[in-house]
Amino acid sequence: MVVDKTLYDVLNVEPNASQETISKAVKRKSLEHHPDRGGSHEMMQQVNAAKEILTDPEKREIYDRYGLKGMQSRMEREDFQFPGFHNDIFDIFNLFNRGSNHQNTAQTNEGDDIKHVLQVSLEELYSGSTRVAVIERNIVCNNCTGSGSRNGISRECTNCHGTGVETSMQRIGPFVQQIRRECLMCDGTGNIIDSKNQCKACFGKKIVREEKIIEVNIVPGSRNSEIIRYPGEAHQIPNGIPGTLYIILKQAPHEIFTRKDNDLLMNMDINLTECLCGFQRLIELLDGHQILIDHPPGKPILPDSYRCLKGHGMPNRHTHSHGDLIIQFDVKFPDENHFHLTDNQRQQLESILPPKKRVQLNSTDRYERPEMVKCDMTRENFQNDHQEEDEDHDSDQHPESVRCQQQ
């Protein structure tokens, strides 16, 4: 059951329509409302919005469950991020919130929104912070209170007759195309102010530029790409309501930790002695306090294995708990050029470690004994090369073979 039929109504299809039916409706409505064919630019935007959501099964399922208003409410009030939807989803919310439907009703007089990206550190997302963002925006001129003139008097534009839109006809072959655009003479305002009567502060533009300082409160556990909404703090227009400011948190890469949801991931290098005989490490967490890793001897850690420290990850502001800290271990073996054992040391190691596999050789047979040399190959490269070889099996191109070092 769907809770919102707005996008289905734009395409004139039923909520249970198949993907094929929706795709055909998108093509039909795109031709009907294309501005080059005399259609409405606003309706074309709505068709594109319906196409973006309804032709994607994952996005369509989310829309059917919550609807546009439900999605907007949850994203703004609960700071929830729906998978697959990016920051431009708020453009779709605004498109349908400004009083427009598929019958081309008038838009609400509202200033443009502003999207501002704020670079933050992982430490700030962990512990919370208060930052300052400097926003450049348009505000209504205080000198003329948005009239653009000294005495508040203007006259109707003779080019668009006060509509703010001018219409022209253009012939393309046998067709005549009607083009509607913002009036160039009055800049879409519908009225003209005589040059001698223009406001000295805004020069008749009715708005001036301003730098606005916004205090941004980053709560502990905030996420990368999270959006903080400030209604009424964006661009202003005369006789209208200001737009909305959207602060988008952008996390800078961290040199130690990588975040995955509420968990933190890090790499730790240990040598072979530490792997076999135990080790200690101090880890400084994102809030500055240190924890001690004390791994006991006799419990070897395999290369490229993982260990988890429960409750030492990112805070979750909804559950008031913490995620986990996951450590990936890389065991560093001794350098073959600088590692030497005496016979006594080797015998001691062999007595401690698991026994070597013994090969039974036939004394009457002769065996070739090639020398092993270092090879510049990793597991990932090996797998990628073999995958490419499978894909190109029937072609004339083959991946380059592995190159071994020359002695």
Side-chain angles (χ1 to χ4, degrees), residues 7 99-100 113 151-152 155-156 167 172-173 188 196 207 218 221 246 252 256 258 329 345-346 357 385 392:
L7 298 183
S100 298
D113 298 332
N151 56 12
R155 58 184 175 87
E156 183 180 282
T167 303
I172 303 177
K196 295 182 179 180
I207 55 175
I218 304 171
Y246 297 98
I256 297 177
T258 301
F329 287 95
Q345 290 172 330
R346 179 179 55 78
K357 183 177 181 180
D385 285 348
D392 300 335

Side-chain angles (χ1 to χ4, degrees), residues 89-220:
I89 183 61
F90 283 91
D91 294 335
I92 296 178
F93 293 154
N94 293 335
L95 178 64
F96 289 94
N97 284 343
R98 292 184 176 181
S100 298
N101 56 29
H102 62 285
Q103 295 182 356
N104 198 26
T105 57
Q107 290 188 351
T108 302
N109 199 19
E110 182 178 354
D112 291 335
D113 298 332
I114 296 177
K115 297 177 182 178
H116 180 83
V117 177
L118 182 63
Q119 293 283 344
V120 296
S121 66
L122 187 56
E123 285 84 355
E124 289 176 306
L125 297 180
Y126 182 95
S127 301
S129 177
T130 299
R131 292 282 302 276
V132 171
V134 180
I135 309 298
E136 286 194 359
R137 64 175 185 173
N138 297 328
I139 62 170
V140 175
C141 178
N142 289 327
N143 189 54
C144 64
T145 63
S147 67
S149 63
R150 298 181 182 181
N151 56 12
I153 298 177
S154 60
R155 58 184 175 87
E156 183 180 282
C157 176
T158 57
N159 186 47
C160 65
H161 305 289
T163 63
V165 179
E166 59 179 326
T167 303
S168 61
M169 308 299 290
Q170 181 178 359
R171 179 175 292 278
I172 303 177
F175 302 101
V176 177
Q177 180 182 10
Q178 183 182 37
I179 300 176
R180 292 167 56 86
R181 63 182 180 185
E182 182 181 274
C183 179
L184 299 178
M185 182 176 293
C186 65
D187 294 327
T189 62
N191 54 71
I192 294 178
I193 302 170
D194 294 331
S195 58
K196 295 182 179 180
N197 192 32
Q198 287 181 353
C199 171
K200 293 183 178 180
C202 65
F203 303 101
K205 295 182 179 180
K206 304 179 181 180
I207 55 175
V208 294
R209 203 70 171 168
E210 177 198 59
E211 280 192 352
K212 174 73 173 181
I213 297 177
I214 300 292
E215 192 174 85
V216 182
N217 181 34
I218 304 171
V219 300

Side-chain angles (χ1 to χ4, degrees), residues 7-8 10-11 19 22-23 25-27 29-30 43-57 59-60 92 96:
L7 298 183
Y8 293 104
V10 169
L11 300 180
Q19 292 295 125
I22 290 177
S23 297
V26 168
K27 293 181 180 179
K29 289 296 182 179
S30 297
M43 271 305 303
M44 193 67 221
Q45 287 182 306
Q46 294 189 10
V47 172
N48 289 334
K51 173 185 176 182
E52 177 183 344
I53 294 179
L54 297 184
T55 58
D56 186 314
K59 292 182 178 180
R60 182 182 179 184
I92 296 178
F96 289 94

Side-chain angles (χ1 to χ4, degrees), residues 383-396:
Q383 293 174 341
N384 291 338
D385 285 348
H386 278 261
Q387 183 179 2
E388 292 175 4
E389 186 176 356
D390 292 339
E391 293 175 353
D392 300 335
H393 182 72
D394 296 328
S395 67
D396 295 332

